[in-house]
Amino acid sequence: MTIHPAWLPPSTFHFLTGKRFLIDSDHPLAGTVREELLRAGCGPAAPGTSADLTFTVVPSTTLSSPSIGVGDGDGFTLTGSGVEADGPRGLIYGLFELARGGLPGRYEPAFTRRMIDHWDNVDVHPVMGQVERGYSGGSIFWKDGVFLGSSPDGLKRIRTYARLLAAAGINAVTVNNVNVHRTEARLLTDRRGEVAVIADQFRRYGIVTHLSVNFAAPVILGDLPTADPLDPRVQQWWAATSAQLVSDIADFGGYLVKADSEGQPGPFTYGRSHAEGANMLAAALTSRLVPSLGALRTPGPVVHWRAFVYDHRQDWRDRTTDRARAAYDHFAPLDGLFADNVIVQVKHGPIDFQPREPLSPVLTAMPRTRLAVELQATQEYTGQQRHVCYLAPMWSEVLAQVDGEMATVANTGDDIYWTGHPLAQANLYAAGRLAWNPDPIAVLDEWIDLTFPRAPSRLRSILHELMDTSLLTYEQYTAPLGVGFMVRPGHHYGPDVDGYEYTPWGTYHFADRDGVGVDRTSATGTAFAAQYPHTWYESPATCPDELLLFFHHVPYTHVLHSGTTVIQHIYDTHFEGATRVESMRDLWRSAAALVDPDLHARVAARLDEQVRSATEWRDQINAYFHRKSGIPDAHGRRIH
């Protein structure tokens, strides 16, 4: 089976063939740069001769250990004759910028840690499978409980993946699911050798490896009767376990934790706070038991503590409880109480990776706490890699409002195209590149240039027409005006307007015969809008149309800023969205002679499904709201 090369086809460095290079560093990452240049057909400059390309680390006090802190030395300058890097990792990024045709100048990322979070399971979960919310086949790390890195082919695929991530500017990865089950908990102990093998491959490309852990691991693994973070026995257990991990993985990045969330254990069990739970793990990672590597460990291993905490057993009759409020209510009061090596990881919206949400207020409410914004490349709520949906425009808007660190849930698997839908590769690429280039359309151009080398202008035009506004198209034919969800429960694919309406999950739209939307105002609702430092969302007069139903319950006859009523907007956008997808399918058919036949066939099949699904969304949404409101479509189109 031939694996698609994604944005690193064999021709990536064709323009370097025959050039002579000089690398003024003996760091292992400089060795990776050397391997890449030799693969491209370059050769080292002979002693005493000039080089066509020079790679050097400035200042000259280079690091000689493979262990470097995340974000250390990532920036670089292209000089016109090579790369001057701030540190060893900058050599890697400078090389790949040359492949993009980068112009001389300064390059540095806006986010220090750019992490990909895998939701891969070791064992196949009876409900979620090998990869939770995965739509690209199985895991590249494990299959049916067996570690794939034990075989040469499996190891090669992991290394190839690391190379792809580095070329996109990624510098950190978490290898396993945040929902850590019994087998996965053993990655801390008797299976940590598997993590070490993975880390060896990622390290070659400057990527630091993290591990998702279960807060109750001391209990699950049978070592202790409690996981109370203030119990000295628990503290000692985590310190000793962390010391073993760092002994095996010198540049271990740290832990990712989902606690007190959707059934996962956490400090609430023992009457402790999230700060107390996170700080216990943070202390374990800096314990005297953990081997010290001096300045090379700066800033050292960290704890990513997810803020995705809410009551998933709420009473749907109770309109005072609001899932959107939960993260802020739990975490904002703890600002300043987290240890320096704790990073609170916050989903970009207050609910759960919907096509349209406001920025989570937590991201601007904790100035004394290290934060990471969490994005989702796997298309759980945006078409599950069966729909074309380029997410970078949404992410770019989010990233423009925050700083610090970022993490993105992976959309990769053992599929030959890596991401199921070949065009979904662009989302993985953007998950790294947006930290370096905030323009989502420019990033898409980069991906097209690399993935389809020497693409004719017609193909470039087709890809942009398909992808530039594909998220807006998806939004048109799914849940309207920011209300969210309306998906089938469990697997989250396809329409089911009332699927979650009477469940305990807190994802409601409250549609009745008079109107629709969630009242989150201070005056009459849940007061979620008051969590923001401004008052834009308090009144329909100032709330953006695209978020109206997220913040307000309004009559179907309410007139939007656009001049149309809510009900007519629902009809219009759903007809328009479904029609737009049909035109996307026709457009792709015209590209048959411009791309590889197998790739064309894969995308064509996905577009057929997208047309079917968009039509189903259109008909269910329009029929539902026509029957609720009793108001006909002003244009007399057929509604079932």
Side-chain angles (χ1 to χ4, degrees):
M1 178 176 64
T2 301
I3 306 302
H4 188 260
W7 50 88
L8 289 179
S11 61
T12 300
F13 294 112
H14 66 90
F15 62 95
L16 295 179
T17 302
K19 293 185 181 294
R20 298 294 166 184
F21 64 84
L22 173 66
I23 303 176
D24 187 16
S25 172
D26 60 357
H27 192 277
L29 291 182
T32 299
V33 172
R34 178 185 176 86
E35 291 173 7
E36 290 286 341
L37 291 169
L38 292 173
R39 181 188 310 184
C42 299
T49 65
S50 61
D52 301 306
L53 292 170
T54 301
F55 294 80
T56 185
V57 175
V58 180
S60 59
T61 54
T62 63
L63 302 174
S64 60
S65 166
S67 300
I68 57 178
V70 172
D72 292 349
D74 287 10
F76 61 91
T77 299
L78 294 189
T79 64
S81 59
V83 176
E84 290 183 355
D86 296 354
R89 195 181 284 113
L91 295 173
I92 295 278
Y93 299 138
L95 174 67
F96 286 121
E97 187 59 37
L98 288 175
R100 280 185 285 271
L103 299 174
R106 178 68 184 164
Y107 296 81
E108 54 188 340
F111 294 82
T112 54
R113 191 182 312 258
R114 305 167 300 279
M115 185 158 74
I116 293 295
D117 288 345
H118 278 263
W119 286 358
D120 297 31
N121 296 315
V122 176
D123 284 336
V124 177
H125 188 270
V127 176
M128 291 301 177
Q130 191 74 68
V131 180
E132 183 161 336
R133 307 301 180 191
Y135 313 108
S136 307
S139 169
I140 64 170
F141 305 126
W142 295 281
K143 182 176 182 179
D144 297 326
V146 176
F147 178 51
L148 297 177
S150 298
S151 74
D153 286 346
L155 203 63
K156 180 180 178 182
R157 179 131 201 200
I158 295 170
R159 186 184 312 124
T160 301
Y161 180 54
R163 183 172 180 253
L164 285 172
L165 293 186
I170 296 295
N171 64 2
V173 65
T174 302
V175 297
N176 64 304
N177 191 3
V178 291
N179 292 315
V180 181
H181 309 292
R182 183 173 297 275
T183 300
E184 289 76 23
R186 292 171 52 206
L187 294 173
L188 272 170
T189 55
D190 59 305
R191 297 191 70 154
R192 68 177 176 273
E194 299 168 16
V195 184
V197 170
I198 295 171
D200 286 344
Q201 301 308 309
F202 282 115
R203 185 181 303 113
R204 293 163 60 102
Y205 286 92
I207 298 171
V208 173
T209 300
H210 298 64
L211 185 67
S212 293
V213 297
N214 191 307
F215 188 79
V219 177
I220 291 172
L221 295 173
D223 295 329
L224 293 175
T226 180
D228 183 351
L230 300 191
D231 188 310
R233 295 171 298 172
V234 174
Q235 297 168 358
Q236 175 67 20
W237 187 93
W238 279 106
T241 300
S242 300
Q244 292 173 326
L245 266 171
V246 174
S247 177
D248 290 350
I249 307 170
D251 58 346
F252 180 59
Y255 298 134
L256 173 61
V257 187
K258 177 180 179 179
D260 293 312
S261 174
E262 298 181 329
Q264 289 296 308
F268 283 178
T269 301
Y270 307 97
R272 313 302 186 190
S273 72
H274 283 285
E276 289 171 318
N279 290 347
M280 180 273 292
L281 291 177
L285 287 169
T286 56
S287 163
R288 61 181 178 79
L289 298 178
V290 175
S292 174
L293 296 174
L296 298 180
R297 290 301 307 164
T298 303
V302 298
V303 174
H304 280 79
W305 190 274
R306 296 180 88 223
F308 185 53
V309 177
Y310 68 97
D311 179 5
H312 71 287
R313 296 186 178 92
Q314 75 177 72
D315 186 344
W316 59 267
R317 304 167 189 84
D318 175 14
R319 296 203 181 189
T320 63
T321 302
D322 186 358
R323 173 170 167 175
R325 290 187 54 103
Y328 185 102
D329 288 343
H330 283 299
F331 286 88
L334 301 177
D335 186 33
L337 299 182
F338 289 95
D340 290 343
N341 60 327
V342 172
I343 300 165
V344 176
Q345 187 163 306
V346 185
K347 290 191 178 189
H348 67 82
I351 297 291
D352 193 7
F353 299 130
Q354 296 302 292
R356 177 74 65 175
E357 293 186 60
L359 184 76
S360 170
V362 180
L363 289 165
T364 57
M366 301 182 70
R368 295 178 295 163
T369 302
R370 291 176 68 182
L371 299 177
V373 61
E374 183 177 285
L375 312 172
Q376 188 184 47
T378 193
Q379 293 171 227
E380 180 180 358
Y381 297 104
T382 52
Q384 300 190 359
Q385 279 119 273
R386 286 178 263 188
H387 296 218
V388 178
C389 196
Y390 181 51
L391 300 170
M394 173 174 64
W395 295 346
S396 181
E397 291 180 7
V398 169
L399 296 177
Q401 302 175 71
V402 299
D403 54 25
E405 313 201 7
M406 58 185 289
T408 306
V409 182
N411 64 348
T412 42
D414 65 0
D415 172 65
I416 63 168
Y417 293 104
W418 296 96
T419 56
H421 199 309
L423 303 189
Q425 290 178 6
N427 287 329
L428 182 63
Y429 182 78
R433 284 297 298 154
L434 284 175
W436 300 79
N437 183 348
D439 182 344
I441 303 306
V443 168
L444 182 57
D445 264 327
E446 291 178 5
W447 176 77
I448 293 171
D449 284 341
L450 293 168
T451 307
F452 303 94
R454 297 176 296 280
S457 59
R458 174 60 179 158
L459 176 59
R460 177 180 297 279
S461 175
I462 288 171
L463 288 169
H464 274 292
E465 193 165 344
L466 285 175
M467 300 176 71
D468 285 2
T469 59
S470 53
L471 175 58
L472 293 177
T473 299
Y474 185 86
E475 186 180 5
Q476 281 187 310
Y477 61 78
T478 54
L481 298 170
V483 74
F485 277 81
M486 297 187 174
V487 293
R488 293 197 179 106
H491 56 70
H492 297 165
Y493 186 75
D496 190 341
V497 184
D498 282 341
Y500 276 109
E501 192 64 10
Y502 306 104
T503 72
W505 291 95
T507 52
Y508 313 128
H509 54 72
F510 297 130
D512 55 31
R513 66 179 185 177
D514 300 315
V516 60
V518 184
D519 185 352
R520 292 188 162 109
T521 66
S522 299
T524 57
T526 68
F528 167 71
Q531 293 182 346
Y532 291 89
H534 53 74
T535 59
W536 304 336
Y537 300 136
E538 286 286 357
S539 168
T542 54
C543 184
D545 282 348
E546 61 269 22
L547 289 171
L548 179 68
L549 301 187
F550 190 97
F551 285 99
H552 298 277
H553 187 89
V554 297
Y556 294 111
T557 54
H558 174 86
V559 178
L560 301 170
H561 300 304
S562 65
T564 190
T565 62
V566 166
I567 189 64
Q568 193 59 46
H569 173 89
I570 291 173
Y571 296 152
D572 289 346
T573 54
H574 284 79
F575 279 113
E576 290 167 11
T579 299
R580 168 69 181 139
V581 175
E582 290 177 354
S583 69
M584 290 165 62
R585 178 176 64 179
D586 293 341
L587 187 64
W588 182 251
R589 286 173 176 169
S590 73
L594 303 177
V595 296
D596 172 76
D598 290 339
L599 186 147
H600 187 272
R602 172 71 73 91
V603 174
R606 304 275 163 139
L607 280 165
D608 285 342
E609 166 56 19
Q610 188 170 356
V611 168
R612 185 209 64 77
S613 181
T615 302
E616 184 71 13
W617 270 101
R618 177 200 68 195
D619 291 345
Q620 285 205 28
I621 297 288
N622 283 346
Y624 179 93
F625 284 105
H626 179 257
R627 295 174 186 180
K628 281 282 187 183
S629 69
I631 301 173
D633 172 33
H635 304 293
R637 292 166 291 196
R638 183 183 182 189
I639 296 179
H640 297 274

